């Protein structure tokens, strides 16, 4: 069965620190990958997505992710975090083809200290 | 556009009671989804509807039923609520095109006592 693994359950950083959140997927076919963010008390919002082409994907709010097929990875990065980035981050993979069914990782909670 | 809306925002049930969670989208999307979110578990797909008139089971369908009432609305029903169904429920929709992502509603927080 397909699975998505996020390595870190809780990450604590100071403002201006660099961020990298790990994500590994298992499905070896055509890969569609996503990072979503959930701010406290809010619903999920799309940060970025990868469907094809340039493996370095840029998203909103200065986030980017790199798709490395050989490592089955899609890590999320940000050079300098802000207190407002405090949220939970979910990696997801489309395993349902055109149906668009997503399988989510368990999430990484990011706490940024001011 | 309101996007994806869900009602109610919060509900408390007693074990054995039934209820229906409502979801509507105004983006003319073909596909709709119901997820549950539990601490440390991420989001898990309960049911989905690829298009109007069709529904299919997801990863955790037991204890739930769904109805795709029309293109806009997709409801989730708990016939006999159990404490294990205490969760936050999210509805999502998507155009159905390959490259499109899902758009999520604000969620319904359900507590089953």
């Amino acid at each position: 069965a397909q699975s998505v693994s996020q390595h870190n359950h809780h990450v604590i950083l100071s403002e201006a620190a660099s961020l990298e959140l790990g994500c590994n997927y298992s499905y070896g076919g055509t890969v569609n990958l996503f990072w979503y963010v959930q701010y406290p008390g809010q619903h999920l919002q799309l940060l970025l997505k990868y469907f094809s082409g340039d493996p370095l994907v840029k998203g909103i709010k200065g986030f980017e992710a790199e798709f490395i097929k050989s490592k089955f990875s899609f890590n999320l990065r940000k050079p300098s975090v802000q207190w407002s980035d405090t949220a939970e981050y979910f990696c997801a993979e489309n395993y349902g083809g055109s149906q668009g069914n997503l399988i989510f990782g368990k999430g990484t909670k990011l706490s940024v200290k001011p | 556009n309101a996007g994806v809306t869900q009602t109610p925002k919060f509900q408390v049930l007693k074990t054995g009671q039934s209820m229906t969670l409502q979801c509507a989208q105004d983006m003319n999307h073909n596909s709709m989804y119901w997820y549950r979110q539990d601490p440390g578990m991420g989001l898990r797909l309960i049911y989905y509807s690829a298009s109007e008139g069709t529904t299919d089971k997801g990863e955790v369908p037991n204890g739930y039923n769904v109805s795709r009432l029309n293109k806009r609305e997709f409801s989730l029903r708990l016939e006999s609520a159990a404490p294990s169904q205490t969760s936050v429920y999210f509805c999502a929709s998507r155009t159905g095109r390959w490259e499109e992502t899902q758009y999520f509603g604000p969620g319904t927080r359900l507590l089953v006592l």
Side-chain angles (χ1 to χ4, degrees):
Chain A
Q2 286 79 29
S3 64
V4 173
S5 300
Q6 293 183 242
H7 314 302
N8 310 101
H9 177 64
H10 192 186
V11 173
I12 302 173
L13 295 174
S14 297
E15 275 195 315
S18 63
L19 170 71
E20 181 161 2
L21 302 182
C23 172
N24 286 97
Y25 62 93
S26 66
Y27 181 59
T30 302
V31 175
N32 304 139
L33 296 161
F34 306 83
W35 275 98
Y36 285 88
V37 61
Q38 186 177 32
Y39 297 104
Q42 296 190 24
H43 61 285
L44 272 75
Q45 302 171 45
L46 181 69
L47 271 180
L48 49 80
K49 61 182 179 181
Y50 171 80
F51 276 83
S52 62
D54 190 342
L56 186 61
V57 180
K58 294 193 182 299
I60 62 171
K61 305 188 180 186
F63 287 90
E64 64 178 32
E66 185 174 12
F67 169 61
I68 303 179
K69 189 174 182 179
S70 61
K71 295 185 178 180
F72 290 82
S73 71
F74 189 55
N75 291 356
L76 181 70
R77 301 195 292 245
K78 186 170 184 178
S80 176
V81 295
Q82 301 172 319
W83 177 79
S84 58
D85 293 324
T86 294
E88 192 157 16
Y89 293 80
F90 295 93
C91 183
E93 180 182 7
N94 176 1
Y95 71 93
S98 60
Q99 292 174 341
N101 292 0
L102 299 179
I103 184 164
F104 284 84
K106 294 184 178 181
T108 297
K109 190 171 183 179
L110 172 65
S111 298
V112 180
K113 297 183 293 185
Chain B
N1 288 353
V4 180
T5 57
Q6 293 183 235
T7 56
K9 291 184 179 179
F10 180 69
Q11 184 72 45
V12 179
L13 291 179
K14 294 181 180 178
T15 297
Q17 286 186 316
S18 63
M19 80 161 294
T20 299
L21 282 65
Q22 306 287 353
C23 173
Q25 52 89 11
D26 61 1
M27 296 176 283
N28 200 34
H29 285 173
N30 291 315
S31 303
M32 297 185 74
Y33 310 81
W34 275 107
Y35 294 89
R36 60 177 290 173
Q37 183 182 29
D38 302 293
M41 298 294 292
L43 277 79
R44 292 180 291 170
L45 183 64
I46 305 171
Y47 270 94
Y48 67 97
S49 171
S51 61
E52 187 179 356
T54 69
T55 61
D56 284 288
K57 295 178 180 179
E59 182 184 357
V60 289
N62 291 347
Y64 305 95
N65 285 301
V66 291
S67 295
R68 183 75 183 265
L69 305 170
N70 47 55
K71 192 171 186 179
R72 289 187 64 249
E73 298 171 289
F74 188 39
S75 62
L76 179 71
R77 183 160 178 83
L78 286 71
E79 290 292 351
S80 178
S84 60
Q85 294 178 304
T86 292
S87 187
V88 181
Y89 292 85
F90 287 99
C91 178
S93 71
R94 175 177 169 269
T95 61
R97 290 193 297 272
W98 173 260
E99 70 279 11
E100 287 296 322
T101 187
Q102 295 181 20
Y103 294 85
F104 286 82
T108 294
R109 189 173 294 271
L110 176 65
L111 176 61
V112 183
L113 302 174

